[in-house]
Amino acid sequence: MSLLADEAQVVDLGLRWTPGFRALGPAFYTELRPRPLPEPYWVGTSAAVARTLGLDPQQLDTPEALEAFTGNVLLAGSQPLASVYSGHQFGVWAGQLGDGRALLLGETASGQEVQLKGSGPTPYSRMGDGRAVLRSSIREFLCSEAVHALGIPTTRALCVTGSDAPVYREEIETSAVVTRVAPSFIRFGHFEHFAANARHEELRQLADYVIERYYPACRESTRFGGNAYAAFLEAVSERTAALLAQWQAVGFCHGVMNTDNMSILGLTIDYGPFQFLDGFDPRHICNHSDTSGRYAYNQQPNVAYWNLFCLAQALLPLIGDQQVAVAALESYKTVFPAQFESRMRAKLGLASAEEADRALVDGLLRLLAAEKVDWTIFWRRLSQHVAGDSATLVRDLFIDRTAIDAWLKDYAERRARNNAPDAGAQIMLRSNPKFVLRNHLGQIAIDQARQKDFSGVARLQALLESPFEEHPGHEDMAGFPPDWASSIEISCSS
Ligand code: AMP
Ligand code: MG
């Protein structure tokens, strides 16, 4: 087998490509082919994502698709490339990074970029091997689809393929390739790259491309005296604020919020050491490599703002005025709390806002934190209580019953003033998922997959694709984490 996907070996699944990102020109990327992996096998596929690409899900059952989405043959018409970006990692300027193990196959006619992750080294691999291991690829695949089903903006995942080709991390593991799909994989770090290198023409070209494609209203905006770049920064800030409010409400910890892992479209991107909270601990750190807790759960909203500040600095040559750039970030400080409060009201089933709601939420969060009550189970049980069940299951989660009883009394009084009391339970059952991708659930599916049994991945995927449904018979996937869950250590190594 040759080292690069053979030019002669092309399969046509019917995907048609538009120039998209590659039209920006070679200053933004390096063209290269994926590097094949021996004897690939399917690990997981998403019929829903296939359909968004205009593929018949059955096409994913074919050996041609298996080879194509492993990078062993090219999809007809695709011209793969690795893009260059830079970024701040853990608060420190890291210089040039780039797609070190991802290749953009192209953008489909339906406006979706398709990317292989784990398809071999690129000029941006630095010391890395360009590969992704099975465990982290399964986590990315399942979590992309889970986060999407929760209604949170995210990159999607079409499929994961595996190969027994060894990959060397802390121990020897095996390889996998995730096919990711998003309208754009452009990150804050792409802008930082051209700003840091004083390449202002390319910086402008990139900003103009992103505005034209994804933020066209900024061209017409009269905000900031008609400064489209400032309006763009403000729009990115607002999307990011809305994203963070959703993460916080569902208890999602990203784990590596470096500026190169921040989507310019406000999508959840680059699933690594992420975690959905088990017990509610505001200072929870999910990334074993994050010794200082920079990316702890309760730090995420501030870190996102810090990252936006880096983006503002990168856009400064285009915005032209420091004060305008700072002003364009201001709305983050109002949009995030407003969005978070609105999400929390939905979790409480409150259809309208009252001044005292903040105190009600703060009081609850204090109680949950004091006893590290399970975040997902608490909210689901509270929803069921409001839907008509007794409060016992909620009270049972607390040792300090007096405190939770007092809170439940205030909550009942508040609900009595709610505009639409009957609607409350329905809002809650649509806002508080029964199923989230807890670390231990992913781990069980991964352990099975390592034995070539992919049924656990498929079962978990099916539940996570409709996380607000009851799914009778799958209670084991909605329970408390076992004791061993807290000993799972997930680091940046993937
Ligand atoms: P991450 O923290 O996973 O977002 O990765 C940060 C940077 O390291 C990105 O530029 C990645 O492309 C690169 N990278 C991570 N793992 C590898 C690998 N195994 N081989 C090559 N590059 C990698
Ligand atoms: Mg990354």
Side-chain angles (χ1 to χ4, degrees):
M1 190 184 287
S2 76
L3 282 178
L4 299 178
D6 189 338
E7 203 159 353
Q9 285 192 291
V10 166
V11 302
D12 192 353
L13 298 179
L15 290 175
R16 293 294 167 259
W17 309 95
T18 56
F21 183 85
R22 82 188 319 282
L24 285 169
F28 295 84
Y29 54 79
T30 304
E31 291 190 74
L32 78 164
R33 286 163 192 284
R35 202 170 277 202
L37 283 167
E39 297 174 52
Y41 44 83
W42 290 113
V43 176
T45 57
S46 163
V49 179
R51 285 190 204 97
T52 66
L53 292 176
L55 291 174
D56 180 340
Q58 289 189 340
Q59 285 178 283
L60 292 179
D61 288 339
T62 60
E64 292 77 24
L66 175 61
E67 296 293 336
F69 293 117
T70 308
N72 293 353
V73 298
L74 281 183
L75 284 170
S78 85
Q79 294 171 288
L81 60 88
S83 75
V84 63
Y85 54 79
S86 295
H88 285 84
Q89 298 186 317
F90 290 91
V92 179
W93 177 244
Q96 182 179 306
L97 303 163
D99 294 325
R101 52 176 170 170
L103 286 179
L104 179 66
L105 297 183
E107 180 179 330
T108 65
S110 57
Q112 298 290 332
E113 289 187 353
V114 182
Q115 199 184 60
L116 300 182
K117 179 171 176 181
S119 53
T122 78
Y124 314 112
S125 297
R126 297 176 294 156
M127 305 300 282
D129 56 10
R131 293 298 181 195
V133 299
L134 180 67
R135 97 186 119 79
S136 56
S137 303
I138 289 174
R139 280 169 53 86
E140 171 142 23
F141 171 72
L142 287 175
C143 204
S144 307
E145 292 311 286
V147 167
H148 171 74
L150 290 167
I152 303 175
T154 177
T155 63
R156 306 287 305 272
L158 173 69
C159 56
V160 187
T161 71
S163 161
D164 288 344
V167 183
Y168 301 90
R169 298 290 181 264
E170 280 81 6
E171 52 188 18
I172 300 181
E173 302 190 47
T174 62
S175 318
V177 177
V178 189
T179 301
R180 305 197 290 191
V181 174
S184 172
F185 287 94
I186 295 176
R187 302 140 190 275
F188 290 9
H190 282 95
F191 292 87
E192 290 179 279
H193 179 74
F194 294 101
N197 291 291
R199 289 163 66 179
H200 295 169
E201 269 322 298
E202 284 102 337
L203 180 67
R204 184 180 303 276
Q205 205 192 333
L206 182 65
D208 288 345
Y209 171 75
V210 173
I211 290 171
E212 187 196 319
R213 287 293 314 276
Y214 310 106
Y215 291 90
C218 295
R219 276 274 170 249
E220 319 302 328
S221 170
T222 53
R223 290 196 49 69
F224 311 107
N227 186 327
Y229 302 110
F232 166 53
L233 178 60
E234 182 173 64
V236 176
S237 303
E238 291 179 2
R239 282 202 202 180
T240 306
L243 177 71
L244 268 288
Q246 288 189 278
W247 284 3
Q248 298 306 106
V250 80
F252 177 78
C253 307
H254 181 282
V256 209
M257 288 178 65
N258 295 332
T259 58
D260 54 304
N261 291 339
M262 296 292 292
S263 155
I264 203 70
L265 302 185
L267 309 173
T268 313
I269 191 171
D270 278 15
Y271 292 89
F274 69 83
Q275 186 180 6
F276 285 86
L277 290 177
D278 290 319
F280 181 60
D281 175 2
R283 286 179 301 202
H284 183 70
I285 305 164
C286 64
N287 180 353
H288 200 65
S289 316
D290 181 11
T291 45
S292 72
R294 178 179 174 84
Y295 298 137
Y297 167 77
N298 65 357
Q299 296 303 305
Q300 295 190 126
N302 286 339
V303 167
Y305 183 73
W306 191 92
N307 289 343
L308 283 161
F309 200 87
C310 292
L311 179 65
Q313 260 182 328
L315 292 174
L316 194 53
L318 308 180
I319 293 173
D321 180 328
Q322 181 125 25
Q323 278 181 339
V324 174
V326 171
L329 295 176
E330 271 306 292
S331 63
Y332 186 89
K333 296 180 195 160
T334 50
V335 174
F336 172 75
Q339 289 276 331
F340 181 68
E341 281 168 27
S342 138
R343 296 280 164 194
M344 295 309 283
R345 266 198 303 276
K347 290 176 85 65
L348 290 166
L350 303 175
S352 60
E354 273 186 21
E355 191 63 31
D357 290 348
R358 190 173 300 173
L360 190 73
V361 169
D362 287 349
L364 175 62
L365 295 183
R366 265 196 304 278
L367 288 184
L368 293 171
E371 300 193 27
K372 291 198 171 60
V373 174
D374 191 279
W375 183 254
T376 305
I377 290 178
F378 168 78
W379 287 106
R380 193 69 184 181
R381 287 194 185 180
L382 190 70
S383 314
Q384 269 143 357
H385 163 51
V386 171
D389 288 356
S390 87
T392 311
L393 286 176
V394 177
R395 296 181 76 241
D396 282 354
L397 293 168
F398 295 81
I399 296 166
D400 185 350
R401 301 278 160 88
T402 318
I404 186 62
D405 283 346
W407 185 85
L408 283 169
K409 185 165 164 288
D410 290 347
Y411 176 49
E413 285 168 11
R414 173 65 183 88
R415 272 191 297 122
R417 291 194 304 275
N418 200 6
N419 288 350
D422 296 339
Q426 289 317 310
I427 299 172
M428 292 175 82
L429 289 165
R430 293 266 153 262
S431 305
N432 298 312
K434 180 167 178 178
F435 299 94
V436 293
L437 181 55
R438 295 181 192 256
N439 266 352
H440 75 278
L441 297 176
Q443 192 58 48
I444 293 167
I446 289 164
D447 291 341
Q448 281 178 306
R450 284 177 167 153
Q451 308 302 317
K452 301 268 164 45
D453 172 2
F454 307 111
S455 62
V457 173
R459 179 179 167 216
L460 201 43
Q461 182 192 353
L463 297 172
L464 296 171
E465 280 176 347
S466 49
F468 300 106
E469 303 301 324
E470 283 300 325
H471 296 286
H474 296 279
E475 302 305 323
D476 57 320
M477 309 291 248
F480 291 99
D483 286 343
W484 60 266
S486 58
S487 64
I488 299 173
E489 288 178 359
I490 298 183
S491 68
C492 284
S493 158
S494 61

mmCIF file of all heavy atoms in Angstrom, residues 85 187 260-261 270, ligand 2:
data_model
loop_
_atom_site.group_PDB
_atom_site.id
_atom_site.type_symbol
_atom_site.label_atom_id
_atom_site.label_comp_id
_atom_site.label_asym_id
_atom_site.label_seq_id
_atom_site.Cartn_x
_atom_site.Cartn_y
_atom_site.Cartn_z
ATOM 1 N N TYR A 85 -3.608 27.618 11.536
ATOM 2 C CA TYR A 85 -4.087 28.556 12.545
ATOM 3 C C TYR A 85 -3.071 28.620 13.667
ATOM 4 O O TYR A 85 -2.088 27.864 13.677
ATOM 5 C CB TYR A 85 -5.497 28.201 13.051
ATOM 6 C CG TYR A 85 -5.716 26.798 13.570
ATOM 7 C CD1 TYR A 85 -5.302 26.422 14.853
ATOM 8 C CD2 TYR A 85 -6.366 25.845 12.801
ATOM 9 C CE1 TYR A 85 -5.551 25.142 15.346
ATOM 10 C CE2 TYR A 85 -6.607 24.553 13.287
ATOM 11 C CZ TYR A 85 -6.189 24.209 14.556
ATOM 12 O OH TYR A 85 -6.430 22.948 15.041
ATOM 13 N N ARG A 187 -11.723 28.805 13.315
ATOM 14 C CA ARG A 187 -11.585 29.046 14.753
ATOM 15 C C ARG A 187 -11.102 30.467 15.004
ATOM 16 O O ARG A 187 -10.583 31.116 14.093
ATOM 17 C CB ARG A 187 -10.539 28.054 15.318
ATOM 18 C CG ARG A 187 -10.913 26.607 15.067
ATOM 19 C CD ARG A 187 -9.695 25.777 14.678
ATOM 20 N NE ARG A 187 -10.130 24.445 14.210
ATOM 21 C CZ ARG A 187 -10.370 23.428 15.020
ATOM 22 N NH1 ARG A 187 -10.134 23.551 16.311
ATOM 23 N NH2 ARG A 187 -10.808 22.292 14.534
ATOM 24 N N ASP A 260 -7.766 28.170 19.935
ATOM 25 C CA ASP A 260 -7.831 27.380 18.702
ATOM 26 C C ASP A 260 -8.965 26.357 18.762
ATOM 27 O O ASP A 260 -9.233 25.683 17.763
ATOM 28 C CB ASP A 260 -6.493 26.673 18.429
ATOM 29 C CG ASP A 260 -6.027 25.834 19.602
ATOM 30 O OD1 ASP A 260 -5.890 26.386 20.708
ATOM 31 O OD2 ASP A 260 -5.812 24.624 19.426
ATOM 32 N N ASN A 261 -9.609 26.241 19.905
ATOM 33 C CA ASN A 261 -10.761 25.350 20.021
ATOM 34 C C ASN A 261 -12.066 26.127 20.137
ATOM 35 O O ASN A 261 -13.066 25.597 20.616
ATOM 36 C CB ASN A 261 -10.599 24.420 21.234
ATOM 37 C CG ASN A 261 -9.486 23.396 21.029
ATOM 38 O OD1 ASN A 261 -9.102 23.116 19.894
ATOM 39 N ND2 ASN A 261 -8.972 22.856 22.102
ATOM 40 N N ASP A 270 -14.121 20.470 18.806
ATOM 41 C CA ASP A 270 -12.953 19.778 19.361
ATOM 42 C C ASP A 270 -13.247 19.128 20.710
ATOM 43 O O ASP A 270 -12.804 19.589 21.764
ATOM 44 C CB ASP A 270 -11.743 20.723 19.460
ATOM 45 C CG ASP A 270 -11.019 20.826 18.129
ATOM 46 O OD1 ASP A 270 -11.598 20.409 17.100
ATOM 47 O OD2 ASP A 270 -9.878 21.316 18.112
HETATM 48 MG MG MG B 2 -8.047 21.663 18.743
#
